[in-house]
Every structure is written in structure tokens, then in C-alpha cells.
Amino acid sequence: DVQAYCDVNARRREHLRRGLEELGIYVYPSEAAFVLADFGKPVDGLIEKLKEKGILVRQCMNFEGVNDGCHLRLAVKDEASNQILIDTLREVLLCAEKA
């Protein structure tokens, strides 16, 4: 039913939010099937690295107020997909720090 789906999505969104925040990424409050994440720096290179790994994300250049090149809209998916996103971001961000 609809309420059960909303409950599952809320748990998945919370897990994704926590994982992103553990990486130092600010996540705006959300009740949607996506989160708006502020990386605090331009994300162009990050988008390319994620794309190379088969992960597509939406940059927010056409979203008024967050069109600074530092924000991404990330879909809340199933637990495994959300964890892959978190793990891949961790890997990409750590590699960028070492470069």
C-alpha cells in the first residue's frame, strides 16, 4: 500500500542521508524520493567520475538558489543501490583528496 511504500522510502532516504553526511556532504531536509546534496565545492569532476562507474546523477544548474555547481540531486533507491552510491562517493572523494 502507499503508506508502506512511504515508510520504506523514508528509511532508505534516512540511510542515504546519514551515509552522505558521514562523508562531509550537507543534505537538505527532504520527504521526497531524492535528496539535495551540497558538496561545498564544484562537482563537475565528481559527476564524471561517477559516470565512469555507471552512476548517473543530476546536477542542479537549473535549480534557482542552488545553481552554483556544488549541488547534486540524488535519487533514493533500494538499499543496495544507495550503498553503492555511498561507497563510490567515498572512493572518489578519497582519491580526489590524495591527488
Side-chain angles (χ1 to χ4, degrees):
D1 82 345
V2 173
Q3 187 58 50
Y5 173 79
C6 290
D7 293 344
V8 167
N9 192 60
R11 285 192 301 277
R12 291 173 176 170
R13 185 178 51 248
E14 179 60 20
H15 176 260
L16 179 59
R17 182 195 63 76
R18 280 194 316 269
L20 294 170
E21 288 183 346
E22 287 174 5
L23 297 175
I25 301 163
Y26 177 77
V27 179
Y28 291 85
S30 173
E31 292 186 17
F34 63 87
V35 296
L36 179 61
D38 181 354
F39 286 76
K41 59 186 175 188
V43 292
D44 291 332
L46 177 63
I47 292 169
E48 286 305 311
K49 297 280 188 205
L50 291 173
K51 188 175 179 181
E52 289 171 9
K53 296 184 177 287
I55 297 174
L56 300 178
V57 296
R58 180 162 182 197
Q59 196 169 12
C60 301
M61 295 306 288
N62 61 342
F63 293 11
E64 188 174 335
V66 292
N67 55 350
D68 58 3
C70 299
H71 292 78
L72 292 177
R73 179 181 178 235
L74 304 170
V76 175
K77 296 189 173 190
D78 62 87
E79 291 87 350
S81 297
N82 289 340
Q83 193 60 52
I84 289 169
L85 173 61
I86 292 165
D87 293 344
T88 303
L89 281 168
R90 180 178 298 110
E91 175 188 329
V92 170
L93 292 171
L94 285 175
C95 288
E97 285 179 9
K98 293 178 183 177

